[in-house]
Amino acid sequence: DYYASRGLGDVYKRQNSDYRLSLKVAEKTTAYYEADTAARNYLQQLDLALADLYANCDDSQTFFEKAADLIPELKTEDTLTAESPTLVGNCPTCTFQVTINDVQNLYVTLELLYPEHPGDEFYKVTQWQTVTNNEPVIDDDSLHLYQGN
């Protein structure tokens, strides 16, 4: 009976550890999808703003100049920060990031495009990446081991 009850105790500990791990995975997954949704909502706002801007601009230079002022001004969620567009080669590029959790951010980079025809895209997504900060997380889930005294 002793060995059987000991075995059940080990099973219980493993189940408890598995449960805690599942909770952490679920939290991280939920946080990622919340950041993903915030980024997609921002892109919807950007689409509308650029469509309006396109309708009121006669050429690509004016469009890109006004877009540089417009993009940082878009209303965003608290977890999202957008930078003013910069030139990479001849292409205006816009980057924004969304905080996922304390150690991860979702980075999105867009290459801005001037539509040749109505209905063409205003940007091309060139980066959609989760980046982990290198700062250590202090999370004490360690077991307190018997030190012998």
Side-chain angles (χ1 to χ4, degrees):
D1 286 339
Y2 169 76
Y3 293 109
S5 66
R6 176 128 172 97
L8 287 175
D10 290 344
V11 168
Y12 173 74
K13 287 178 188 174
R14 260 193 320 275
Q15 286 175 340
N16 192 23
S17 294
D18 290 347
Y19 176 71
R20 286 194 322 243
L21 178 62
S22 333
L23 287 178
K24 284 184 180 182
V25 169
E27 287 172 9
K28 288 182 179 184
T29 302
T30 299
Y32 172 80
Y33 282 110
E34 287 173 353
D36 182 80
T37 299
R40 291 177 190 278
N41 289 342
Y42 178 75
L43 290 178
Q44 285 179 338
Q45 286 183 32
L46 185 60
D47 279 333
L48 294 173
L50 291 176
D52 186 47
L53 183 62
Y54 177 73
N56 295 309
C57 289
D58 296 329
D59 59 48
S60 62
Q61 182 177 351
T62 305
F63 176 79
F64 290 134
E65 287 172 0
K66 290 187 176 186
D69 295 332
L70 171 84
I71 289 173
E73 299 298 319
L74 286 178
K75 182 170 174 38
T76 62
E77 297 187 27
D78 291 340
T79 59
L80 189 144
T81 54
E83 300 173 8
S84 295
T86 58
L87 280 178
V88 176
N90 291 334
C91 302
T93 303
C94 173
T95 302
F96 66 91
Q97 66 178 329
V98 184
T99 302
I100 297 173
N101 55 40
D102 292 341
V103 295
Q104 291 182 314
N105 292 308
L106 174 63
Y107 283 88
V108 180
T109 303
L110 311 171
E111 177 184 324
L112 297 180
L113 306 172
Y114 183 75
E116 295 299 322
H117 308 286
D120 285 353
E121 300 293 325
F122 295 109
Y123 55 83
K124 176 173 71 173
V125 177
T126 58
Q127 178 188 27
W128 191 281
Q129 181 180 9
T130 300
V131 176
T132 302
N133 303 336
N134 290 331
E135 298 175 17
V137 178
I138 313 284
D139 192 13
D140 189 13
D141 277 350
S142 61
L143 297 174
H144 300 287
L145 300 177
Y146 177 67
Q147 296 296 321
N149 292 332

